Amino acid sequence: MPQIHRLSRADARRVAVLAQLLHGERPGGLLPAARRLTLLQLDPVSAVAPSADLVAWSRLGSSYVPGHLRAALDERRLIELRAMVRPAEDITLYRAEMAEWPGRGELTEWQRHRRDWVLANDRCRREILARLRDEGPLPSRRLPDTCDRPWSSTGWTDSKNVTQLLEFMVQRGEVAVAGRAGRDRLWDLAGRVYPDHPPVPTGEARRERDRRRLRALGLARPRGPEFPVEPADVGEAGEPALVEGVRGEWRVDPALLDVPFHGRTALLSPFDRLVHDRTRTQELFEYDYQLEMYKPAAKRRWGYYALPVLHGDRLVGKVDARADRKGGVLVVNAVHRDVPFTADLAAEVEREIADLAGWLGLEICRAA
């Protein structure tokens, strides 16, 4: 029987902070950080800065330049896969699963629906591949929409035939994002984008992804609710653990249990992996947080793009801020204090806000 680690909440929080490279010792650069975190999530909202850049800044500090991420993508050291930036060498962990799309064994109803929709539009799929083969990389607007069956959805993807077909073709391993022109993704044949490494067999690849995910999270549930694209659970990776005051079993990376902890203060992206799983955040950090950008302004508690505030092993507040690049200012609407701030803590939060403004090349403007 493997040893069951019994952790206090403080122990568990420190493991999570260490795993996410948010402790006192900063990583040695963007690529080492990306390899440890396994991913940087892309998101079109950049009220302060693009989320992937903000995550990198939180780890690396003001030595990080957003051009570093663009260069790593252009040089194919990092690869964009389903709105996640991943180390290029990790793509080999997805290729076998791509070849099995929409899945192996008995398929669910939604898997059959997607399979049948792609089959119904096979003519369009082949025309897209031919256009990319001859002319790629291309934005989606340059690709033919000859779908015989439109994509039907109650969401924003309704009738977005080409973009939806491209998404499934990514999952099938046929096309990939080769770069960006402004906000437009440029598409090309996957074989011209991904490294030419043999795929890792599906079962082995899933276990390795679980292992890497646990190393990035430090502590996670063996099974949990589904998240789109990137799971939050880790299967049988690591070793079993119990957390004082929290029900249920966890899995922990034992390599982090004896690492000395030296905390610091950091401002985080709303999409940061430390807070991405809201249930885990509440259980371990006793921290209430939600994205409020989609709420009416009158119903927001913390702001459109509130940045979680980490101090040591605690999440202690939110900074409601917005970058006004035309005006040359970082507008700070409020600093919400979830716990009483000591003078030292207040000063550290202000230093982080000043560092953020300096990194963005903006002056601080306090909202009236």
Side-chain angles (χ1 to χ4, degrees), residues 81-284:
L81 175 64
R82 303 190 66 195
M84 303 285 184
V85 174
R86 300 183 186 273
E89 61 268 21
D90 284 8
I91 298 301
T92 187
L93 300 175
Y94 297 86
R95 297 304 297 268
E97 203 167 80
M98 290 173 175
E100 296 171 352
W101 188 91
R104 55 166 54 177
E106 185 175 352
L107 302 179
T108 64
E109 182 179 353
W110 63 265
Q111 287 175 315
R112 293 194 299 272
H113 172 71
R114 294 177 178 187
R115 177 201 61 193
D116 294 346
W117 186 81
V118 171
L119 286 173
N121 293 302
D122 191 61
R123 177 170 64 97
C124 183
R125 183 185 70 84
R126 292 178 182 275
E127 289 177 358
I128 287 173
L129 290 173
R131 180 73 62 85
L132 292 177
R133 188 177 298 111
D134 294 340
E135 302 178 33
L138 294 172
S140 60
R141 65 176 180 273
R142 294 274 307 279
L143 297 173
D145 182 356
T146 56
C147 286
D148 295 305
R149 182 192 299 177
W151 177 256
S152 178
S153 167
T154 58
W156 69 271
T157 61
D158 188 54
S159 297
K160 304 288 186 181
N161 300 331
V162 171
T163 54
Q164 193 60 47
L165 188 53
L166 286 167
E167 170 65 18
F168 294 143
M169 292 171 75
V170 167
Q171 294 176 36
R172 289 163 61 98
E174 296 176 313
V175 302
V177 177
R180 288 185 178 247
R183 288 196 164 193
D184 287 338
R185 291 176 291 182
L186 299 178
W187 299 92
D188 204 350
L189 301 179
R192 298 201 291 227
V193 177
Y194 296 155
D196 186 20
H197 300 317
V200 176
T202 302
E204 181 184 343
R206 286 178 178 168
R207 289 189 293 273
E208 179 61 15
R209 295 203 311 256
D210 285 345
R211 189 192 69 79
R212 296 189 189 192
R213 190 178 310 115
L214 179 61
R215 185 167 180 259
L217 295 173
L219 190 80
R221 296 291 192 180
R223 294 286 180 269
E226 288 190 11
F227 284 86
V229 183
E230 179 70 9
D233 53 28
V234 296
E236 299 305 309
E239 296 178 358
L242 298 174
V243 178
E244 182 181 7
V246 182
R247 299 173 67 178
E249 181 186 329
W250 298 79
R251 305 294 293 188
V252 66
D253 180 355
L256 294 172
L257 292 175
D258 297 320
V259 176
F261 182 81
H262 304 288
R264 62 182 176 90
T265 303
L267 304 182
L268 308 180
S269 163
F271 299 96
D272 198 288
R273 260 1 201 201
L274 190 71
V275 298
H276 185 263
D277 182 343
R278 309 300 187 212
T279 300
R280 175 179 180 266
T281 303
Q282 177 63 50
E283 289 176 329
L284 299 184

Side-chain angles (χ1 to χ4, degrees), residues 13-28:
R13 290 194 299 266
R14 290 176 179 183
V15 165
V17 171
L18 283 164
Q20 278 288 297
L21 304 178
L22 287 163
H23 53 104
E25 183 179 349
R26 294 185 185 270

Side-chain angles (χ1 to χ4, degrees), residues 291-339:
L291 287 169
E292 297 188 311
M293 62 186 69
Y294 304 113
K295 290 184 177 182
K299 294 187 177 181
R300 294 175 190 147
R301 291 179 288 172
W302 306 304
Y304 178 85
Y305 200 78
L307 308 178
V309 180
L310 175 70
H311 178 66
D313 65 357
R314 299 302 302 267
L315 290 161
V316 297
K318 295 99 177 166
V319 172
D320 177 9
R322 173 179 58 85
D324 178 359
R325 292 171 179 82
K326 288 185 178 179
V329 295
L330 177 67
V331 180
V332 180
N333 295 306
V335 176
H336 301 283
R337 303 182 177 194
D338 288 18
V339 301

